[in-house]
Amino acid sequence: YALDTARRSGYDPDELEEEQRERQLRNRMNQEFSNFSKKIEDQAKDLEFDIPYRELGFYGVPPHNKSTSFIMPAVNALVELTEPPWFVMPLSDIEIAHFERVVYGLKNFDLVLVFKDFSEKPLHVNAINIEHLDALKTWLDSCNIKFYEGTANLNWNAIMKNINDTGIEGFYEDGGWKFLNMQGSSDEEEEDPDDAESD
């Protein structure tokens, strides 16, 4: 068999045509979905579609998956919609967030999301690139979700068992989540009473 040794051009009209068809199909599907969501929102007055912030997205290992997936914050949830089974964490269910393994020199950190229902096991999103830390903190702060940061991974099963054994009232009377505040939090540092008196 003779091989075709003629030089092939980088310009393949069939390939370009195929890409153009795919782009048109994707645009048409996006427009149809947009129209569908607007019609649903108009008919069901109390329903609103949430669009993730793709620019705030990051790669991490969600709790349901063993591989890295693209996770995106949205107005009302933290979602991963590319790899089934999908991951959706409603913000209204989150009590606090805790960033673990935040150490100078490490390239990744973990995010633990604690449910308001303390009987549920906290969710872990692991191996997030450190470059996304500040953006995640800003997003959580804008959603009014308290967050903490630490250098070690904590034993959340033991922590939640202790909280449930103590009772919610007892837990908050003992300082609540302040034990996580060893290395700072999202709140402004409280003013030292001695400094206030010296003014």
Side-chain angles (χ1 to χ4, degrees), residues 80-178:
E80 185 278 306
L81 304 171
T82 54
E83 296 284 327
W86 296 281
F87 166 64
V88 177
M89 177 67 189
L91 297 182
S92 59
D93 292 349
I94 299 174
E95 172 77 10
I96 61 141
H98 187 258
F99 298 103
E100 296 184 330
R101 296 187 313 121
V102 179
V103 179
Y104 180 75
L106 280 183
K107 293 182 178 178
N108 295 321
F109 66 93
D110 301 330
L111 171 62
V112 178
L113 301 170
V114 178
F115 287 95
K116 287 181 179 175
D117 179 357
F118 291 163
S119 65
E120 291 192 48
K121 190 175 170 184
L123 289 180
H124 295 255
V125 178
N126 298 319
I128 303 167
N129 192 303
I130 198 75
E131 70 184 24
H132 299 290
L133 181 62
D134 289 337
L136 277 171
K137 286 180 177 180
T138 301
W139 174 70
L140 286 168
D141 193 40
S142 71
C143 296
N144 294 320
I145 295 176
K146 180 94 169 142
F147 61 84
Y148 297 89
E149 170 181 316
T151 57
N153 284 35
L154 301 178
N155 183 348
W156 286 97
N157 289 335
I159 292 170
M160 299 314 290
K161 182 180 182 328
N162 182 42
I163 292 170
N164 288 318
D165 290 348
T166 305
I168 294 173
E169 289 86 20
F171 171 67
Y172 283 112
E173 285 172 6
D174 290 344
W177 299 107
K178 289 195 190 276

Side-chain angles (χ1 to χ4, degrees), residues 51-69:
I51 300 171
Y53 300 119
R54 190 160 190 79
E55 64 276 3
L56 293 179
F58 57 91
Y59 285 95
V61 181
H64 67 281
N65 210 330
K66 298 282 187 229
S67 63
T68 302
S69 302

